[in-house]
Amino acid sequence: MNAVRPAPRIRVVLLERDGILVEDVPDNADPGRVAPAAGARETLALLRAHGVRTGVVTRQPGVARGTLSQADLRRVDERIEDLLGPFYVRAVCPHAPEDDCHCRAPRPGLLLWAAGRVCTPPERIAVIGADGDTVEAARRAGAHGILVPTPATRPRETAAAAHVAPDLHTAARGLLTGPPTQHVLADERAITEAYRTA
């Protein structure tokens, strides 16, 4: 009789920067405007206390469009590191949607690059994001995507996501025992509200 193998432990959690780790300020070039999102500090502390490595993933099309410089991006990221670090990896897509790059979600290039940087197979990585493209990129990369809806998340993204959590801390707490296994990772009431978000 074959024994059932336990699910592989999640070793790395990659978190979307804007809207998940910090308040979303489009094309933010000012470190003074960086503010941790609700629950970000506590969530990162929880993951790190359990030996889970953390990383940041972000799309910054303002770089391609000239509204944000690489220096601006560095200063903002340094401020995020000061407030919430340390992070094992920081992965940035600096392209605009029309650039048709391989790293912009829902394509998996950025997540695969990050997996290589932390020397971890995608099946042992979870990605927490606020939009359907990030979750889809995780699926295409072979990682585990969890959607944490924000006011900007479209209802159809919430409906289509394989795994949904009402907040960042719930998403992370659910990963401590292994990959997510159910669609809704917490109380249904918060998810119902997310479906109503315009």
Side-chain angles (χ1 to χ4, degrees):
M1 183 172 161
N2 292 335
V4 177
R5 289 186 190 178
R9 183 170 176 260
I10 296 296
R11 296 285 185 191
V12 177
V13 174
L14 302 175
L15 303 108
E16 192 170 14
R17 192 188 90 171
D18 301 316
I20 294 293
L21 281 179
V22 297
E23 296 296 329
D24 190 4
V25 179
D27 290 341
N28 184 20
D30 180 3
R33 297 183 70 190
V34 173
R41 283 193 178 100
E42 297 80 5
T43 298
L44 292 167
L46 175 72
L47 291 169
R48 292 167 181 155
H50 284 82
V52 178
R53 293 182 174 187
T54 58
V56 181
V57 293
T58 186
R59 296 184 298 269
Q60 296 297 325
V63 174
R65 293 171 176 159
T67 57
L68 186 66
S69 72
Q70 289 285 356
D72 294 332
L73 192 58
R74 268 194 310 277
R75 284 191 295 272
V76 168
D77 283 345
E78 285 168 3
R79 180 61 178 155
I80 293 170
E81 184 93 8
D82 289 343
L83 293 170
L84 299 172
F87 295 100
Y88 278 89
V89 65
R90 187 177 291 107
V92 179
C93 170
H95 306 107
E98 58 270 20
D99 292 336
D100 197 34
C101 66
H102 72 282
C103 56
R104 185 177 176 85
R107 292 183 175 174
L110 192 67
L111 301 182
L112 292 171
W113 179 87
R117 293 289 291 178
V118 294
C119 301
T120 304
E123 63 267 22
R124 303 194 78 173
I125 295 175
V127 182
I128 301 175
D131 64 68
D133 284 348
T134 299
V135 173
E136 174 60 14
R139 185 191 69 76
R140 292 183 187 184
H144 306 278
I146 299 175
L147 181 74
V148 175
T150 68
T153 307
R154 295 184 291 270
R156 64 182 172 80
E157 295 176 299
T158 304
H163 310 290
V164 181
D167 57 68
L168 179 57
H169 196 74
T170 300
R173 194 173 62 240
L175 293 170
L176 297 179
T177 56
T181 58
Q182 56 199 34
H183 175 62
V184 176
L185 302 184
D187 188 287
E188 299 262 357
R189 289 170 298 178
I191 299 305
T192 300
E193 290 307 310
Y195 276 101
R196 291 187 187 128
T197 302

